[in-house]
Amino acid sequence: MFREMFYLLSRSVENWDDDKGNSNCKEIGWDDFDQESVDAWSAGMTGFPYIDAMMRQLDETGWMHHLGRHAVSCFLTRGQLWQNWKHGRDVFESKLIDSDWAVNNGNWLWLAGVAPFSMPYYRVYNPCPDPKSSLNVETKKADFVRHWIPELSSFPSKYIFEPHLAPKEVQHAANCVIGVDYPFPIVDRKEARKENLAAFKMSLDRS
């Protein structure tokens, strides 16, 4: 049903693939393009293992589970990196084997929180999921993360979604020192979320 909706909208809404002159896109004051941040996100090197595992899977296979797509798109836009959704759209367009122009743009509009059919903008996915996460992530063994991020394959599950919080002795025992073998988080996820929600609300109040 979403696919058919996006097909219909893409044929009837002008500038469906843009954030200007698009009646289905709220104008948000995103940051200027940050090449370093977008490259780290695209390559799976943000320091957030769940996000990185999903992006590495996409890079190698051309596919990603739909809840993974929710998480990485939210992370790039309103969640943590505050980048325009079109940058993520372009990366997906270049990598997805199931890429579809109407659906890809529709999903990015939706998950960036800028469309009339979006979830409320303040519902931000936690990039460090726990067992109760709506992303349905298996956290006890965390095999998905271990597979796609072999640097963390020996990390205890207690720390694997936020490895920078592991004591140094744990990092050394797992043969993965954060900042050396795997990057530190590129942002403070909680502080970034707080700032982004305030900026999103401000953009809405001005419109």
Side-chain angles (χ1 to χ4, degrees):
M1 289 189 292
F2 276 113
R3 182 193 65 193
E4 300 305 317
M5 181 180 79
F6 291 151
Y7 282 175
L8 289 169
L9 288 171
S10 71
R11 297 288 290 178
S12 60
V13 175
E14 291 186 10
N15 303 306
W16 176 246
D17 59 351
D18 205 349
D19 57 345
K20 305 293 184 184
N22 180 347
S23 62
N24 270 230
C25 181
K26 303 173 182 122
E27 291 198 23
I28 302 299
W30 305 110
D31 280 345
D32 292 337
F33 177 62
D34 184 334
Q35 185 76 61
E36 186 176 352
S37 292
V38 174
D39 284 351
W41 173 82
S42 180
M45 292 294 287
T46 67
F48 291 87
Y50 179 70
I51 301 299
D52 292 344
M54 284 293 176
M55 294 305 295
R56 292 187 192 189
Q57 180 191 42
L58 173 63
D59 194 55
E60 185 167 326
T61 70
W63 183 85
M64 187 190 298
H65 187 276
H66 80 279
L67 289 178
R69 301 183 197 205
H70 285 217
V72 302
S73 55
C74 181
F75 182 87
L76 180 70
T77 57
R78 59 194 168 87
Q80 273 71 42
L81 299 187
W82 200 242
Q83 291 290 290
N84 192 308
W85 58 271
K86 294 191 294 183
H87 304 316
R89 182 270 317 275
D90 291 344
V91 170
F92 270 38
E93 176 69 25
S94 69
K95 294 186 178 186
L96 282 172
I97 58 173
D98 63 346
S99 183
D100 177 304
W101 178 82
V103 175
N104 193 29
N105 279 284
N107 277 324
W108 276 92
L109 286 161
W110 171 27
L111 293 165
V114 297
F117 45 83
S118 293
M119 66 184 76
Y121 73 91
Y122 48 80
R123 287 182 56 192
V124 173
Y125 290 103
N126 184 353
C128 305
D130 59 31
K132 298 179 181 179
S133 171
S134 60
L135 295 170
N136 295 332
V137 181
E138 190 284 300
T139 59
K140 186 173 183 180
K141 293 184 178 179
D143 287 338
F144 181 82
V145 168
R146 297 181 196 283
H147 175 80
W148 290 108
I149 308 182
E151 307 97 299
L152 298 173
S153 61
S154 297
F155 241 77
S157 295
K158 178 180 179 181
Y159 298 109
I160 201 166
F161 290 99
E162 293 188 272
H164 66 289
L165 299 180
K168 278 296 175 64
E169 58 268 23
V170 172
Q171 296 181 32
H172 284 292
N175 295 313
C176 182
V177 175
I178 307 306
V180 178
D181 305 299
Y182 181 72
F184 281 107
I186 59 175
V187 292
D188 179 319
R189 65 178 177 88
K190 294 181 180 179
E191 188 60 31
R193 178 183 183 277
K194 180 180 178 181
E195 293 175 359
N196 294 350
L197 291 180
F200 204 112
K201 185 177 186 301
M202 186 178 297
S203 290
L204 294 181
D205 290 343
R206 288 174 177 169
S207 60

